[in-house]
Amino acid sequence: FHLGMFEIGRPLGKGKFGRVYLARERSSSFICALKVLYKSELQHGSGVEKQVRREIEIQSNLRHPNILKLYGHFHDSKRIFLILEFAGKGELYKHLRREERFPEWKAAQYIAQMASALRYLHRKHVIHRDIKPENILMGIHGEIKISDFGWSVHAPNNRRATLCGTLDYLPPEMIGSGSRNNYYNEKVDLWSLGVLTYEFLVGEAPFEDTPIMTQKRIARADMTIPEWVSKEAKDLIKKLLVLDPEKRLPLEEVQSHPWIVKHCV
Ligand SMILES: CC(C)CCNC(=O)Cn1cc(-c2ccc3c(-c4nc5ccccc5[nH]4)n[nH]c3c2)cn1
């Protein structure tokens, strides 16, 4: 079907909150991914509508090769349309599952691109908070594109995130229970970057277990890295999966880490 200026193609998958279609803008033949959100599904006056508005606000102002672009948005009486960058090679986690795990040179390149994108976000005081393979797309040249800023907020923040989906990527300070003030900052993304590095190399998350056990293992940073992982990669993972957020390796030092430098000349 077509929507005025867009010809709509095949569905690209069900993102959170809505469906995404391949689309071409008529006059320019520009290819994009058009996401359709039904206003009826965003209960009026609830947090979701505000969250979508915040995501649009945040993502519209971001310009980085490893961050999926939101070109614009418009709406009709029933729907909100988001004009998103089309990522030619689709969802990264599908590649990860198909290949089981990535060779060290490929994992290092992806982590270097993630570190570059996160430095850019943190300079704008944006915390992603939901770094995981499912939220990463791949461009036509194999470059990665962080998408889905559903959980991004302006740092610092102590919002209790009511979380669905996997706990695997959550840092200890975000699963802290009870009244302990769960004050956290952008260092949560460093923890998730460590989890991502581990999953790229091993093919599963470091604390993968039953939900209760996962929380216990995260709280103790209780993980084992297989001996076949290189010592440089082990070193980087250990410097990111540190309980104390302030002691996690800063992004600048991730980018200059021997494991990254060795593979990203
Ligand atoms: C409220 C708003 C600002 C949210 C903005 N963020 C999102 O909508 C997050 N999101 C991105 C997508 C998405 C999903 C798939 C694609 C694709 C894509 N390319 C593909 C190539 C081959 C197979 C599948 C593909 N999907 N390109 N761009 C996409 C974008 C879905 N949700």
Side-chain angles (χ1 to χ4, degrees):
F1 64 103
H2 72 263
L3 190 79
M5 58 202 281
F6 288 99
E7 282 167 333
I8 308 299
R10 74 176 181 89
L12 288 173
K14 255 182 71 60
K16 189 171 54 186
F17 297 141
R19 300 183 190 299
V20 195
Y21 299 90
L22 189 60
R24 176 172 49 209
E25 201 273 327
R26 273 187 195 291
S27 57
S28 63
S29 298
F30 181 76
I31 295 289
C32 62
L34 197 67
K35 184 166 188 177
V36 186
L37 304 165
Y38 284 87
K39 291 183 180 174
S40 55
E41 285 174 11
L42 309 176
Q43 310 84 6
H44 291 284
S46 73
V48 178
E49 211 173 324
K50 269 205 301 299
Q51 181 184 327
V52 169
R53 241 196 296 281
R54 180 176 57 243
E55 266 192 54
I56 290 177
E57 164 41 40
I58 288 175
Q59 212 166 333
S60 303
N61 297 313
L62 300 176
R63 297 263 178 291
H64 186 282
N66 300 116
I67 295 176
L68 195 79
K69 282 181 189 55
L70 171 65
Y71 296 114
H73 63 287
F74 55 95
H75 62 94
D76 64 14
S77 57
K78 294 192 315 258
R79 298 165 291 186
I80 302 171
F81 299 91
L82 302 169
I83 309 166
L84 289 158
E85 179 180 359
F86 172 63
K89 287 193 173 162
E91 298 171 87
L92 182 79
Y93 87 91
K94 285 184 182 164
H95 295 266
L96 179 56
R97 296 289 174 264
R98 192 181 314 130
E99 297 170 39
E100 279 187 30
R101 56 178 184 265
F102 294 138
E104 297 221 353
W105 62 268
K106 192 184 277 195
Q109 285 183 5
Y110 289 159
I111 295 303
Q113 291 170 34
M114 287 299 293
S116 168
L118 287 174
R119 272 187 78 181
Y120 173 84
L121 285 175
H122 292 179
R123 266 203 299 272
K124 290 182 167 264
H125 303 295
V126 173
I127 320 176
H128 190 285
R129 290 200 314 169
D130 200 10
I131 302 289
K132 57 188 177 189
E134 291 80 347
N135 288 341
I136 301 172
L137 292 161
M138 193 186 287
I140 198 68
H141 304 298
E143 75 281 17
I144 59 172
K145 307 241 173 210
I146 303 183
S147 110
D148 214 335
F149 287 75
W151 290 102
S152 45
V153 287
H154 280 94
N157 191 288
N158 66 348
R159 183 191 330 280
R160 283 283 318 162
T162 50
L163 295 158
C164 51
T166 173
L167 292 167
D168 280 325
Y169 277 75
L170 289 178
E173 65 268 26
M174 276 181 78
I175 54 171
S177 53
S179 60
R180 196 153 37 86
N181 65 335
N182 293 326
Y183 220 87
Y184 56 82
N185 57 21
E186 61 270 355
K187 307 252 191 281
V188 299
D189 289 338
L190 295 175
W191 175 277
S192 305
L193 189 62
V195 176
L196 194 68
T197 308
Y198 183 104
E199 181 160 0
F200 281 173
L201 291 169
V202 180
E204 61 186 30
F207 309 108
E208 208 157 292
D209 209 313
T210 64
I212 303 285
M213 278 312 293
T214 297
Q215 289 197 48
K216 287 190 175 359
R217 295 180 58 196
I218 290 172
R220 285 190 228 114
D222 160 24
M223 60 148 181
T224 48
I225 307 176
E227 36 77 34
W228 42 264
V229 174
S230 73
K231 68 178 183 337
E232 293 89 353
K234 275 195 188 108
D235 181 71
L236 178 59
I237 293 169
K238 283 189 184 134
K239 286 176 176 166
L240 288 170
L241 295 183
V242 174
L243 290 179
D244 179 352
E246 299 310 310
K247 294 205 170 69
R248 289 170 197 156
L249 199 66
L251 290 167
E252 295 74 7
E253 294 178 49
V254 172
Q255 290 180 307
S256 58
H257 187 279
W259 183 63
I260 297 290
V261 171
K262 180 164 87 171
H263 292 294
C264 295
V265 285

